[in-house]
Amino acid sequence: MTCKAEHYMTGETAWCPGCGNFAIREALAGALAELGLAPHQVLLVSGIGQAAKIPHYIGVNGFNGLHGRALPPAIGAKVANTDLKVIVESGDGDSYGEGGNHFMHNIRRNPDIAHFVHDNQVYGLTKGQASPTSEPGMKTGVQVEGVMVSPLNPLSLALVMGAGFVARCFSGEKDHLKATMKEAINFPGYALIDILQPCVSFNKINTHGWYKNRVYFPEIQAPQDWTAAMDLSRQWGDQIPLGIFYNKPHRTFEESRAALKGEPLSFRPFNPEELSSLQNDFL
Amino acid sequence: MTCKAEHYMTGETAWCPGCGNFAIREALAGALAELGLAPHQVLLVSGIGQAAKIPHYIGVNGFNGLHGRALPPAIGAKVANTDLKVIVESGDGDSYGEGGNHFMHNIRRNPDIAHFVHDNQVYGLTKGQASPTSEPGMKTGVQVEGVMVSPLNPLSLALVMGAGFVARCFSGEKDHLKATMKEAINFPGYALIDILQPCVSFNKINTHGWYKNRVYFPEIQAPQDWTAAMDLSRQWGDQIPLGIFYNKPHRTFEESRAALKGEPLSFRPFNPEELSSLQNDFL
Amino acid sequence: MEVNVLIGGAAGQGMETIMNLLGKALVKEGFGLIYTKDYMSRVRGGHNFTRLRIAPGHPWTTLESIDVLVALNEETYLRHSDHLTPTGRVIYDPQLFNLPEGESRGVPVELKKLAEEAGGRVMANTVAVGALLVLMGLETSTVEELLKDTFAVKEGVAEKNITALKAGYDSAARSCSACFELPSKNQDGEKLFIDGNQVLGMAALASGCRFLSAYPMTPATGIMNYLAAKSLDYPVVVEQAEDEIAAINMALGASYSGVRAMTCTSGGGFSLMAEGVSLAGMTETPLVIVVAMRPGPATGLPTRTEQSDLEFILHSGHGEFPRAVLSATSHEDAFYRLNKAFELADRYQTPVFFLSDQNFADTHRSVGLYDFSRLGYNRALAAEGDFEKPYKRYRITDSGISPRILPGQYEGEVVLIDSDEHDEKGNIIEDAYTRRAMVDKRMRKLKGLAEEMDEPDLYGDPHPEVLLIGWGSTYGVIREAVDALIARGIKTAMLHFSDLWPLPQKRLRSLLAEVDHSCCIENNAGGQLSRLIRRESGLSIDNNILKYDGRPFLPNEIVKEVQNDL
Amino acid sequence: MEVNVLIGGAAGQGMETIMNLLGKALVKEGFGLIYTKDYMSRVRGGHNFTRLRIAPGHPWTTLESIDVLVALNEETYLRHSDHLTPTGRVIYDPQLFNLPEGESRGVPVELKKLAEEAGGRVMANTVAVGALLVLMGLETSTVEELLKDTFAVKEGVAEKNITALKAGYDSAARSCSACFELPSKNQDGEKLFIDGNQVLGMAALASGCRFLSAYPMTPATGIMNYLAAKSLDYPVVVEQAEDEIAAINMALGASYSGVRAMTCTSGGGFSLMAEGVSLAGMTETPLVIVVAMRPGPATGLPTRTEQSDLEFILHSGHGEFPRAVLSATSHEDAFYRLNKAFELADRYQTPVFFLSDQNFADTHRSVGLYDFSRLGYNRALAAEGDFEKPYKRYRITDSGISPRILPGQYEGEVVLIDSDEHDEKGNIIEDAYTRRAMVDKRMRKLKGLAEEMDEPDLYGDPHPEVLLIGWGSTYGVIREAVDALIARGIKTAMLHFSDLWPLPQKRLRSLLAEVDHSCCIENNAGGQLSRLIRRESGLSIDNNILKYDGRPFLPNEIVKEVQNDL
Ligand SMILES: Cc1ncc(C[n+]2csc(CCOP(=O)(O)OP(=O)(O)O)c2C)c(N)n1
Ligand SMILES: Cc1ncc(C[n+]2csc(CCOP(=O)(O)OP(=O)(O)O)c2C)c(N)n1
Ligand code: SF4
Ligand code: SF4
Ligand SMILES: [Mg+2]
Ligand SMILES: [Mg+2]
């Protein structure tokens, strides 16, 4: 049973009119529909934030967890049921700030999970504090003199940690986003899309127009060239490249675990009595 | 009052005979002595692990905190007293594993702190589990099939996060280590030295000999060249370069905070009564 | 003789700014009032509302009943008109929606149109406030002044708002006149119009807090905002941490190295701090932790209120160590009490908790000026000569408190603190004897702390038959309930705890022995104070009145429940 | 009729391996024994020792008094010779140190030299064990067999150790003969020689646990090691998380998506899990959390024992939600009880804690075979037809338990869980009515859980005058104390809690009403169970015997204290 894009869109959203989140949601719904994934086959995991409300607005399995903690349950869920298509979707604060340690270390694990970050360069839900990707100088209620630290570059970071699929998209380029999401979902291993997303309520710097004027689609010769990918990932400012900068699978978490071959663990039968020979170790 | 190197070495160590930690301790004592820093002027902050016992063995001010949490108190301590020379010293598990999020985000802050990581590529104190820098394939009581994930590269990571001072040393090259420590301590801003350190008890792969056969001192033309530094940081295997790969100061955390100019906050006098005009905001 | 206003609409309609100005203006004029917020965990849309109650003296709570309903959208009218008094009024925009047939209480004002004419739709609220002033028989002048002050730097904004205000005023004045009698103005001097988070932020700054490390979390963020704004002019550093673990550990570093430091958060963020709390206990590092509670578990109801983290906070952090737990009861008291938290933290070298909640944090009230000379700034550091050399951070003493110096303070002396069990110098130990001595030393501080605790506040009938017990932000509402019960002839008193741990028991024990009926009133499902009382005193409270739907108590809810019990 | 051995030396001298083999060999031969460890938080050096007690039946504790002291270095002799019985023996290496003049109990064996001759210094322990066998009048054969088994894959290691063993045996046999009478062998069938962590690891695997995510932390790491080793042959995934926050959240993800999952840690790591516990409560996700306690606060004494996290665990995680807390009392019981934890977690869809401590975790005992057919594997999932469609994860029911299905299990049905307050479908809500309904629903589970709790174990005099109350790993030692007190004519019984929350009170209440004197015995400074009992029942325990120096109780300590009290 698969559906049309509209059918994936459930619930009444609580986002602000004009927000980039809407386009991301539509792109995701479109990607799922075009991939022919039925709702029960997909699991959407998120943390807390505006972006992280997405499991309430896409009618697949959902785990709306804690702020910063979207990746760990996603890995666990994948271990239990390798048949699930697991997608993690959350905000920049959630993914790179509170959740930074999981971000780094899960890239190393390389689970077969697609990670879509709504990067609005601000903490939306808590009303506009700086996020790890905020532009230096951005003033907020907490950063009263403006952001003083250099922004975290999620794509460079992912590359350095060994990610096999690294892409940048923009919510204002919905078709490109949808196409990239499909590739990320199909990629065998951890796939990151950092999605530039205007926040009309709190980010007055990186507006839709600001992004629109800067994004471009570079021709990417070989998305297997790490150095070229690193260069692209570091481009920011007047010209912001979009696209899949790196795409090179390597052994996944699931492949490296003997126990994960075969039927999903969740559905394998079990009878404790059969394990009584475990005691032999202690005789 | 300054001292000779020996005078900084206090307490009876609980390390294993033959461990690389001893040389690191001596290098640090030597660096402090040669810099003419008196014990009360220095603060050594650590987490938990074998390396993290160092504040008990160097007679300066010490904050032996929680596992993974050496950097945050170091920042706080520096805010309170900018006159202190703050050094963070801890293990690879502590700094890059449990403490990974602080590692990333403190590099962005760029506090004037030197960070020395005893990188033995293993969890020593808890008896030999994999650390984030363990070699793939290393077998342990928990990684029974061998480490399956790609190691975290602390220097590349630091570069991507914008660190101004990035170096690799080896406990078996003590003079170089001492000299590099002095530079790191004097560097205005966050300075990382990842120190390769044999663990004779648990790391049977990266032994003293293993490192000794591989390390070399490349000629570094311009430690202000980020790409060159990134290249050096990524060299690993048969040839492991040592040295200061990157050295380029930028605005520090302390410089960016108006309140931190002048006398250390800790020693400024205060009288609550003088603040009663704060109420005017609410009249 | 009192007026209750509710103004409701969608998030992001800018209600807050103008209502804050109105509140301030009214307080400036001498009115006593309270102003509360009910908002959703979203940025735009949904249904938010605020309540304003102007009543004789300085009212403690807002009420359910509404005299003026300002309905910025139809939903507001539909949700709240049930509570509109028969003689009430509805300010609404006839271009947006119509009132139902037969609704005679409407005061139509073309909010949107007038706002647009004044310069922008967002000023619809300002127009509404203009209309509101008419109904209350007030002039626009004070609000105008404040608009000028507030928007002094943003060119044109004040003027546009004044135009909007006046347009609303004039429009309403055409269709009606003053229909509510305001209480008489108070003659008790200048008053502040301030919310709980601001009280705490100001108290922290005035207590000499020089470092706040925190991670944004509703409803605690206001404290961070306050101190951040002040960091431009005062020697305080506010650092947004990468997570709450960093927040508490940063604060501990700052405290160790010499400043008064604080962190603030809500339940979820606090959960992440538990290990740091334990570190504070072990290293004997002063720290003030403000927890602004909201309904849990997990993310719960982020913008609503609850008192459900008391037991968690009493036991948070692994292992055993002394702590003190204080709470925010009233705006009047909380200012001094947060100062007390800083004083205790320094004197006892241990973590001190200060429990707030959304109800306290987001509520504005008219309160008297604070006496800053009552604030303490006793760092309790050892003077030269008052400590042995070489310095021993954990010298064993009768009080359990070791003389404290700062790193870098004395040439030749170093300060070593340790999260492992340690000896007097701070070095790791493992032997049973030292371990026991150190546990005993730390635990002895509890004795001193117990003597510092204020007995709970007693209010009401001097010879009560019914005793209502509460803690924290329920102070005002229980107090109003007591007044109401007394008015109904029930001899009632309230025993309200500000200091919670170590639990002060004298007054409690003597009162429980006297009264016929005791009742503990808490914004949680477990009756946590009630359980604590039984654990500590062995005495059982007769009944618990518990509310855990995310909303604060209303006085009449308490009155009704108490009457049912009797 | 019993023999108490202490073998001591520096960390890293390899004592453990050989003592494990010796223990196993003795159990194989039919002896009942207990083997405990006292080790420092370091890898080499310092002073570590293990105790072995061979006594009639299956002894519950090791004792202070020593019959054979194996002193691998002089420090061991100096520290422990005070407790050597007059007829005791000291095995020592005369090349390493000399016994003081007048010490006639020495059995000199050239441990180092013989070990080097056999192939390496590390085998000094093996030499010592050879000597020990002589003193106990045993042959080397069983140990030899085990050496062959254990080192089957490591070429030459077994042979070298056998040489060392025999050399020690021969050397001791030259200077002395059997001087201790062993108890008679038990005739009660095959016994396991197993430590607490192994019991728990095996119980988890046999309960169908398929995912353990954890971060190494003493004394819980042994559980991780056990399951990791088994992951080569059984369908269980063990993942070393980047931190404890990841550990618990991973486990929750795995549980949500369908497997029995567990995490294990000690106090500090558990502190970091508090928010995840709250998430389990809110999302109603089954989870078993094993906390192996050690002395806190903070890093405390990493390799030692304490029972100080009970209150923290009872209240850990912000907000209010149901949980169950069970504990490890004896090796016999813990196996089934951890299975019960899994069963309760699945049936009540909530976090279940299992409290262990270093004392339990690291102690080996001779215990009977387990009956695996007693283990449950009831996943309590709703069958097709037993749930409404579309599926509602949080359907409100009388028991508070909603029918549960797994994501991906049924075509067309999705499972949504949420950390915010939510409606039956799992979608965020903010209204008061739904909130209240959901809190009530979750809290109703406590009623069911309360009925699942086992009453505490009663042992001793059927009509006691003195009641000793305990929980967790003190089971054995209190039991031995009861025997000793009864032997002295004091009518004593023990009431020992395995299941702690919801606290079972029936037996407690009736016994407290009967006895003259009650006493709660805990390895902590606060008397935490004692406080819990008062909070829940209003009943006060007369006296607490508390020990918090990181060491387990000895039976005679309890006996003495109880006698003092009377
Ligand atoms: C442990 C914890 N800390 C803080 C919060 C408060 N909080 C909720 S969302 C959020 C930031 C969200 O920012 P981001 O992830 O960028 O999402 P956005 O709202 O911008 O989409 C914060 C700080 C929380 N819920 N939990
Ligand atoms: C919160 C917490 N989790 C786990 C531990 C246990 N622990 C102590 S040290 C350590 C690892 C140390 O490894 P590393 O930092 O590399 O130091 P090393 O011993 O190798 O020098 C661990 C896991 C702890 N003390 N606290
Ligand atoms: S606050 Fe920003 S990110 Fe959140 S919904 Fe509104 S516009 Fe979008
Ligand atoms: S365990 Fe390893 S790192 Fe630790 S002291 Fe021993 S050799 Fe050094
Ligand atoms: Mg964001
Ligand atoms: Mg290490």
Side-chain angles (χ1 to χ4, degrees), chain C residues 278 298-299 419 440 534-535 548, chain D residues 278 299 419 440 534-535 548:
Chain C
S278 183
T299 308
S419 85
D440 289 339
R534 190 163 58 218
R535 187 187 89 178
Y548 43 87
Chain D
S278 183
T299 308
S419 85
D440 289 339
R534 191 165 55 219
R535 187 187 88 180
Y548 43 87

Side-chain angles (χ1 to χ4, degrees), chain C residues 41 271 278 296 298-300 304 306 309 318-320 419 421 430 435-436 440 525-526 534-535 548-549 551, chain D residues 41 271 278 296 298-300 304 306 309 318-320 419 421 430 435-436 440 525-526 534-535 548-549 551:
Chain C
S41 180
S271 274
S278 183
T299 308
R304 307 201 178 265
E306 198 159 273
D309 296 332
H318 58 292
E320 295 166 298
S419 85
E421 192 55 276
E430 297 210 25
R435 161 70 180 175
R436 213 159 33 226
D440 289 339
R534 190 163 58 218
R535 187 187 89 178
Y548 43 87
D549 62 4
R551 276 71 180 171
Chain D
S41 179
S271 275
S278 183
T299 308
R304 306 198 180 268
E306 198 159 270
D309 295 332
H318 58 292
E320 295 165 299
S419 85
E421 192 57 275
E430 298 210 23
R435 161 70 179 174
R436 215 160 30 229
D440 289 339
R534 191 165 55 219
R535 187 187 88 180
Y548 43 87
D549 62 5
R551 276 71 182 171

Side-chain angles (χ1 to χ4, degrees), chain D residues 257-299:
Chain D
S257 123
V259 298
R260 283 196 163 169
M262 177 168 108
T263 184
C264 60
T265 184
S266 188
F270 179 68
S271 275
L272 292 167
M273 293 185 180
E275 196 191 13
V277 172
S278 183
L279 180 65
M282 184 54 130
T283 57
E284 307 193 35
T285 305
L287 186 67
V288 173
I289 304 161
V290 176
V291 184
M293 295 176 288
R294 67 190 216 190
T299 308

Side-chain angles (χ1 to χ4, degrees), chain C residues 258-455:
Chain C
V259 299
R260 283 195 164 171
M262 178 168 107
T263 185
C264 59
T265 184
S266 187
F270 179 69
S271 274
L272 292 166
M273 293 186 180
E275 196 191 13
V277 171
S278 183
L279 180 65
M282 184 54 131
T283 57
E284 307 194 34
T285 305
L287 186 67
V288 173
I289 304 160
V290 176
V291 183
M293 295 176 289
R294 68 190 214 188
T299 308
L301 292 172
T303 59
R304 307 201 178 265
T305 203
E306 198 159 273
Q307 299 185 299
S308 56
D309 296 332
L310 173 60
E311 290 179 323
F312 177 36
I313 283 164
L314 281 169
H315 305 106
S316 62
H318 58 292
E320 295 166 298
F321 50 92
R323 74 190 78 200
V325 182
L326 319 182
S327 71
T329 54
S330 66
H331 291 53
E332 287 82 350
D333 181 76
F335 182 73
Y336 305 105
R337 200 157 300 273
L338 185 61
N339 178 254
K340 177 175 178 176
F342 280 101
E343 292 284 291
L344 291 178
D346 267 348
R347 293 205 348 257
Y348 290 89
Q349 304 174 18
T350 209
V352 177
F353 293 90
F354 191 87
L355 301 197
S356 166
D357 57 21
Q358 184 267 333
N359 181 32
F360 176 76
D362 289 334
T363 294
H364 280 76
R365 278 184 51 238
S366 51
V367 292
L369 291 180
Y370 294 106
D371 178 0
F372 280 58
S373 74
R374 277 178 56 197
L375 300 180
Y377 185 71
N378 170 13
R379 301 302 316 280
L381 296 175
E384 175 95 63
D386 283 355
F387 61 92
E388 247 180 277
K389 293 187 179 179
Y391 176 66
K392 295 202 177 88
R393 176 67 191 90
Y394 300 112
R395 221 189 72 212
I396 291 185
T397 62
D398 286 347
S399 63
I401 301 167
S402 310
R404 178 168 176 235
I405 68 170
L406 304 180
Q409 196 177 7
Y410 296 101
E411 194 168 326
E413 301 302 330
V414 297
V415 183
L416 174 63
I417 67 173
D418 185 15
S419 85
D420 300 272
E421 192 55 276
H422 41 251
D423 59 18
E424 288 191 312
K425 267 225 68 175
N427 284 119
I428 304 190
I429 58 92
E430 297 210 25
D431 70 286
Y433 176 84
T434 312
R435 161 70 180 175
R436 213 159 33 226
M438 281 294 161
V439 173
D440 289 339
K441 163 196 158 28
R442 288 189 293 266
M443 288 310 200
R444 277 200 295 277
K445 297 187 202 172
L446 269 176
K447 215 176 137 255
L449 278 170
E451 284 162 17
E452 305 275 357
M453 295 294 103
D454 289 332
E455 287 291 327

Side-chain angles (χ1 to χ4, degrees), chain B residues 48 50-51 67 91-94 120 122-126, chain C residues 275, chain D residues 215-216 244:
Chain B
I48 294 295
Q50 294 283 58
H67 181 51
D92 48 331
D94 199 80
N120 57 4
V122 77
Y123 282 10
L125 187 58
T126 46
Chain C
E275 196 191 13
Chain D
Y215 188 82
E244 288 84 352

